[in-house]
Amino acid sequence: MSKKEKTVVIEPATRLEGHANVVIELDEKGGVKDLKFCVTLTRMFEKFLEGRLAEEAPILTPRICGICPVPHHVCSVEAVEAAWDVEPPSAAVKLRDLMMQGKQISSHALHFYALAAPDFLAGPFADPSIRNLVGVFKHMPDAVKKAIALMRIGQEIVKTIGGRSVHPVTGVPGGQAKRLTEEERDRLLKLIDEAEGLMDFTIEVARKVVEGYLDVITKLGVVPTYYVGLNVNGVHTIYDRKATVRVMDPEGKIVADFPKKDYLQYVGEHVAPHSYATHIFFKPAGYPEGIWRAGPLARLNVADKMETPRAQELLKEFRDAVGRPCHATLAYNWARIVELMEAIEKARKLLEDPEIVSSDVKRADVRPREGNGVAIVEAPRGTLIYNYWTDDEGVIRKANLIVATNNNIAAVEKSMLVAAKQVLEERIHEKLKFPEPWFK
């Protein structure tokens, strides 16, 4: 490196990943030579699962993520069931679905209001001392109270079904260890009534943000990639045991739609020398051409339609504005609102299903066996893949976990490189239209 070349390190990058930094290499003229998104730690979950009883795994693996322990819990228990060829009762599957929707509600509300909204409401050029949740609370206390209320409802659903609001424990091979009583069902339905009112307010806020920032959303960090997400015959889903995995190419063509058990034919892992986290890509396209994105934007891109009516209306509004496929990285926040609506509607649908209070939630004839089981669900931030190999005593001999972060890291790095060039070389931020801040 010459004396005039410069390296900028942004650390920590906690809104992106818990243990990571961003390294930007600048040339002599201040241009961007390269950008690396470096995950700086590994926690070895795959290794320390080896030799443990498979029943223990669904209790251990939710510790991988403090925000999305529910998808880890559900995916872990269903990978064990797949290895042992166990089909849980229908009511147990619906309870898991309800728990997943509860987590989707709390996580998406948290992300929109706490992680994204401060930048939009205060404006990206505001002092960081006010461009945060505390700043929003100071100037818009009613909005924060409503955001917290929406998160609380999601967490209450998780606690009721999963036994804990964080790190649930009720999923066991063969079903659920706890049923839902009629009293609990009625209490949760009242919370959904409240959530629907809070969602009307959230949509109103989101629309104003999108209208104000549409020039930014459609021009900054726009990067064509592949997209991956679950679907059931083209319908959006975050949890369905019969769902398949769809892949869309950068031109918008569906290039794969495969059963979960066949994931190794389509999922490639690239070891980036600067990161402990592997870069996941669409194997038939190779690396880096096959870099894909997962999560809300990817799921909306691969889906033909949403499962519920109000979410479908929001999807139409989304696509009328940004098209399909949408490559705008900042549109993730908008896609999150569409999914949040679907989660509330789906939770009501499940709670109004008479089977949700059935006592038939666990099989008594589950026996460990040698097997290879794959499960895939959608965590709020992306596709989650679990693969366990068990021996005839039900001990895990090998585990392969591909979490949402892995599915997105290569694309995050790619979009940050594009955005850094736009800002540092083209000064795009001086040309874009920004709305007046909601508060100063």
Side-chain angles (χ1 to χ4, degrees):
M1 180 182 295
S2 73
K3 291 182 179 179
K4 293 185 179 179
E5 291 180 338
K6 186 178 180 181
T7 299
V8 177
V9 179
I10 303 171
E11 187 175 22
T14 46
R15 288 198 200 179
L16 293 172
E17 166 63 34
H19 310 288
N21 62 42
V22 180
V23 178
I24 307 174
E25 297 177 10
L26 304 177
D27 62 23
E28 297 176 353
K29 298 181 179 178
V32 179
K33 288 177 60 180
D34 198 8
L35 183 148
K36 295 183 175 68
F37 181 35
C38 311
V39 174
T40 55
L41 288 175
T42 182
R43 290 181 289 171
M44 307 290 185
F45 267 81
E46 291 168 324
K47 199 62 184 174
F48 74 63
L49 283 171
E50 292 179 6
R52 290 186 176 273
L53 293 172
E55 301 99 297
E56 297 175 353
I59 306 300
L60 297 171
T61 57
R63 271 69 181 176
I64 289 174
C65 181
I67 293 180
C68 53
V70 171
H72 282 280
H73 180 61
V74 171
C75 201
S76 187
V77 73
E78 297 206 347
V80 177
E81 290 173 342
W84 295 354
D85 196 21
V86 172
E87 187 64 31
S90 172
V93 174
K94 291 178 180 177
L95 288 174
R96 291 175 186 173
D97 196 354
L98 180 57
M99 186 162 52
M100 288 283 290
Q101 304 306 327
K103 172 43 62 184
Q104 188 86 331
I105 293 169
S106 66
S107 180
H108 276 10
L110 168 72
H111 196 120
F112 178 72
Y113 280 108
L115 300 182
D119 289 337
F120 289 117
L121 300 180
F125 308 114
D127 190 311
S129 64
I130 65 167
R131 186 163 46 89
N132 53 55
L133 188 59
V134 175
V136 178
F137 184 70
K138 181 178 178 181
H139 297 277
M140 303 173 64
D142 287 345
V144 174
K145 289 177 183 175
K146 288 177 179 175
I148 292 173
L150 195 51
M151 287 185 270
R152 176 182 55 79
I153 290 169
Q155 288 303 99
E156 188 60 33
I157 294 172
V158 172
K159 181 181 177 181
T160 303
I161 306 300
R164 294 177 178 175
S165 57
V166 181
H167 299 150
V169 294
T170 54
V172 294
Q176 289 291 109
K178 174 184 175 299
R179 59 165 295 200
L180 182 70
T181 67
E182 293 184 5
E183 292 75 17
E184 290 171 330
R185 186 260 327 264
D186 294 344
R187 179 171 56 82
L188 294 182
L189 274 171
K190 290 180 180 176
L191 290 178
I192 291 300
D193 292 339
E194 182 184 351
E196 289 170 344
L198 294 167
M199 193 59 204
D200 290 339
F201 172 79
T202 300
I203 291 171
E204 183 182 343
V205 173
R207 281 200 179 111
K208 288 182 180 177
V209 167
V210 169
E211 288 170 6
Y213 282 94
L214 193 58
D215 194 45
V216 182
I217 291 169
T218 56
K219 293 178 181 174
L220 180 63
V222 178
V223 179
T225 64
Y226 283 75
Y227 297 93
V228 63
L230 290 179
N231 81 110
V232 178
N233 298 321
V235 178
H236 175 283
T237 186
I238 61 168
Y239 170 77
D240 192 302
R241 291 172 67 88
K242 297 178 182 177
T244 53
V245 184
R246 258 191 180 186
V247 181
M248 173 181 277
D249 72 11
E251 286 71 44
K253 179 183 178 183
I254 301 298
V255 291
D257 196 348
F258 57 89
K260 298 172 184 176
K261 64 181 178 58
D262 294 340
Y263 81 99
L264 286 174
Q265 297 179 34
Y266 299 91
V267 176
E269 283 192 81
H270 171 75
V271 178
H274 56 275
S275 176
Y276 276 109
T278 54
H279 290 189
I280 305 302
F281 62 97
F282 182 51
K283 188 183 285 185
Y287 183 88
E289 291 78 8
I291 288 174
W292 65 23
R293 289 194 263 199
L297 181 64
R299 291 191 287 258
L300 260 57
N301 275 336
V302 303
D304 298 329
K305 62 181 181 179
M306 304 301 290
E307 184 177 350
T308 58
R310 289 196 67 192
Q312 177 59 28
E313 292 173 6
L314 292 177
L315 177 64
K316 182 178 184 307
E317 192 176 329
F318 177 93
R319 286 187 173 159
D320 286 347
V322 294
R324 179 192 185 198
C326 171
H327 299 304
T329 305
L330 290 174
Y332 261 92
N333 298 301
W334 192 0
R336 195 165 279 114
I337 298 302
V338 180
E339 287 196 330
L340 179 54
M341 185 74 255
E342 183 179 79
I344 293 172
E345 291 183 287
K346 185 70 184 293
R348 173 177 290 285
K349 180 181 178 182
L350 287 163
L351 285 165
E352 290 179 341
D353 184 335
E355 194 179 22
I356 201 72
V357 291
S358 170
S359 60
D360 181 18
V361 295
K362 185 177 181 301
R363 292 179 56 165
D365 58 348
V366 176
R367 297 287 182 274
R369 52 168 285 186
E370 182 178 0
N372 172 6
V374 176
I376 301 179
V377 304
E378 292 287 346
R381 287 160 190 77
T383 309
L384 181 59
I385 303 172
Y386 272 59
N387 190 177
Y388 291 146
W389 288 260
T390 62
D391 64 17
D392 57 3
E393 294 181 338
V395 175
I396 293 176
R397 292 305 174 193
K398 182 180 175 183
N400 187 28
L401 313 183
I402 298 175
V403 303
T405 301
N406 289 88
N407 278 308
N408 283 313
I409 276 183
V412 168
E413 185 173 270
K414 189 174 181 179
S415 60
M416 284 197 293
L417 175 61
V418 170
K421 287 178 176 289
Q422 287 180 298
V423 171
L424 297 175
E425 298 176 4
E426 302 169 20
R427 311 292 294 176
I428 190 173
H429 53 290
E430 297 174 356
K431 306 168 188 171
L432 294 171
K433 296 178 188 174
F434 290 89
E436 283 295 314
W438 289 35
F439 62 84
K440 297 180 180 178

